[in-house]
C-alpha cells in the first residue's frame, strides 16, 4: 500500500453488501419470514438479471445483478423479505433515500431504482410481495478489509477513511437523519479489495439505511 508502511490489503473476495440483523419479535412476522425464490438468471422488473448472492441479513438478501440490455451495467439488488414488518424497513429506507436524493455525494450508497417482486404460489393460491431496492455496486465491508491487512493501516490512511465517513455522516445529519447502525459492517469499500492498488486508493461508503431515523421520530425506538 503506502510506501511509508508495509501494511497491505490482500485481495480475496468479490464485493459484498451486508445487512444488519435486528431481532424480529412479532408473532405475525415470524410467520412471514419468507425469502424470495430467486436463482441465478431470474429476471426482475423486466430489466435486471440476477447473479450471485452478495449478502444476507435478517431483513433482506442482496444479489448481484446486471441489466438485460447491457451486461456491463452491474448493481446490487436488495430484496426485502415478505411481510409487514420487513416492508416497514423498506418504506423507511426509501424515505431516507428520497430525502437525500438531491445530494451529490460519493460517501453514501445510492438508490438507482426500486420495485416490487411478486411471487404467486399455485399450490397455496397465495402471493408474496418482496420490495426491492437497486443500489450501486460496491466492494467488501470494512470488517472484511481489516481481516486482510497485515499490520494495520498507517495513521494517514486511517485519518482519510475517517474523514470520508464523517463527510457522509455530515450530509445525513444536515438532513436531520441519524444512521443508528453505523459499524464496520455497514461501511463498504467503493470497489472490491482485489482492485485496490494502494492505501490512497481506499474509498469508503456508508450503507444500509434501513434503520435510519429522523430526529424526534418514532423510528428511534429501533436504535441500538
Amino acid at each position: 500500500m503506502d510506501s511509508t508502511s508495509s501494511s497491505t490489503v490482500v485481495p480475496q473476495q468479490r464485493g459484498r453488501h451486508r445487512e444488519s440483523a435486528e431481532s424480529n419479535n412479532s408473532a405475525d412476522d415470524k410467520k412471514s419470514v419468507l425469502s424470495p425464490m430467486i436463482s441465478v438468471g431470474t429476471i426482475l422488473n423486466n430489466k435486471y438479471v440476477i447473479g450471485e448472492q452478495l449478502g444476507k441479513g435478517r431483513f433482506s438478501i442482496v444479489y448481484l445483478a446486471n441489466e438485460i440490455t447491457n451486461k456491463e451495467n452491474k448493481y446490487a439488488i436488495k430484496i426485502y423479505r415478505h411481510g409487514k414488518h420487513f416492508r416497514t424497513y423498506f418504506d423507511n429506507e426509501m424515505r431516507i433515500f428520497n430525502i437525500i436524493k438531491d445530494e451529490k455525494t460519493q460517501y453514501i450508497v445510492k438508490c438507482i431504482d426500486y420495485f416490487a417482486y411478486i411471487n404467486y404460489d399455485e399450490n397455496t393460491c397465495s402471493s408474496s410481495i418482496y420490495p426491492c431496492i437497486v443500489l450501486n455496486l460496491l466492494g467488501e465491508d470494512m470488517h472484511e478489509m481489516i481481516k486482510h491487512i497485515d499490520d494495520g493501516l498507517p495513521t494517514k490512511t486511517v485519518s482519510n477513511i475517517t474523514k470520508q465517513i464523517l463527510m457522509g455522516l455530515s450530509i445525513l445529519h444536515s438532513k436531520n437523519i441519524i444512521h443508528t447502525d453505523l459499524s464496520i459492517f455497514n461501511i463498504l469499500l467503493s470497489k472490491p479489495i482485489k482492485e485496490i492498488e494502494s492505501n490512497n486508493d481506499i474509498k469508503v461508503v456508508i450503507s444500509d439505511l434501513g434503520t435510519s431515523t429522523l430526529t424526534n421520530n418514532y423510528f428511534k425506538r429501533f436504535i441500538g
Side-chain angles (χ1 to χ4, degrees), residues 37 117-130:
M37 300 300 291
Y117 168 61
I118 302 177
N119 180 65
Y120 179 72
D121 189 330
E122 295 181 353
N123 295 320
T124 62
C125 296
S126 62
S127 61
S128 300
I129 301 175
Y130 306 97

Side-chain angles (χ1 to χ4, degrees), residues 157-174:
T157 302
V158 174
S159 177
N160 186 42
I161 291 174
T162 302
K163 180 179 179 180
Q164 293 175 55
I165 295 172
L166 291 176
M167 290 179 73
L169 286 176
S170 177
I171 291 174
L172 293 178
H173 294 170
S174 71

